[in-house]
Amino acid sequence: MEARSKIYIFIDEESQPIAELVAPVNFEMDTTKLIDGKHILKIVSKDPTGKEGVRLVPFEVRNGPAIAIEGIREGAVVDGIIPIMVNAYGKGDQKNFMIIGSETPQSIPFWIFVLLILFLAWAAYYHFTSSTVQLFTQ
C-alpha cells in the first residue's frame, strides 16, 4: 500500500481544520456558512515523511444582497449637495434567479451625448452638402 499525502483545510485563523483529506481530493466549500467579507483558505499538506507545505488563498464572500451605489465613488473628494442612488438586491440562489430588483438603473454616460452630437453634426453636414449636388441633369 502506497503512502499518500494528507491535506488539512482551514478557514481564516481557525485552529481546527474544517476537513482532513487524503490527496488527491475534490471538495465543495459551502460559503453560505461564512459571513460576508474577506477570508483566507489555508491548505496544509503533509507528505508521508512528515514534511509540510502551506498555501494561503485569500477570497471574499458575498452571499448577502449586492449593493450598488451611483453618484459617489470610494475615496472621492466631494463638495455641495450630491445626488446618490443606492440599490440593494438579493441574487437568489444557484437554482432560482431573482429578477425583481436585479438591475440597477444608471445615468447615461457623457460619451453617449458626445457621440450623439457628433452623429447629428455629421448628418447635418451630409444633408447640406448632398442637397446642393444635382444627381440628374435634364
Side-chain angles (χ1 to χ4, degrees):
M1 180 172 149
E2 73 180 70
R4 297 193 296 182
S5 296
K6 280 197 158 192
I7 296 174
Y8 302 92
I9 300 174
F10 299 86
I11 298 289
D12 297 330
E13 298 298 321
E14 293 292 323
S15 60
Q16 294 295 320
I18 61 168
E20 295 180 19
L21 309 163
V22 177
V25 65
N26 291 324
F27 71 97
E28 293 180 352
M29 183 171 66
D30 185 8
T31 63
T32 60
K33 296 177 181 173
L34 299 173
I35 62 170
D36 283 5
K38 296 185 182 214
H39 297 277
I40 295 178
L41 177 67
K42 180 179 176 183
I43 301 170
V44 178
S45 173
K46 288 188 181 180
D47 69 8
T49 63
K51 293 182 184 176
E52 277 190 10
V54 178
R55 175 101 187 248
L56 301 175
V57 182
F59 66 97
E60 187 170 351
V61 173
R62 284 196 184 160
N63 288 323
I67 300 172
I69 300 173
E70 184 167 331
I72 193 167
R73 296 179 187 218
E74 291 184 27
V77 177
V78 297
D79 188 359
I81 298 171
I82 308 165
I84 296 175
M85 195 246 344
V86 178
N87 187 19
Y89 54 91
K91 297 178 273 280
D93 55 28
Q94 293 178 348
K95 295 178 184 163
N96 299 319
F97 176 71
M98 295 175 60
I99 191 110
I100 297 173
S102 64
E103 291 187 15
T104 300
Q106 296 180 341
S107 61
I108 299 172
F110 78 93
W111 58 269
I112 297 289
F113 290 114
V114 172
L115 285 177
L116 182 63
I117 291 168
L118 288 174
F119 176 75
L120 291 175
W122 172 81
Y125 169 78
Y126 181 78
H127 174 70
F128 291 124
T129 58
S130 66
S131 65
T132 60
V133 175
Q134 293 286 333
L135 297 177
F136 301 103
T137 58
Q138 294 187 13

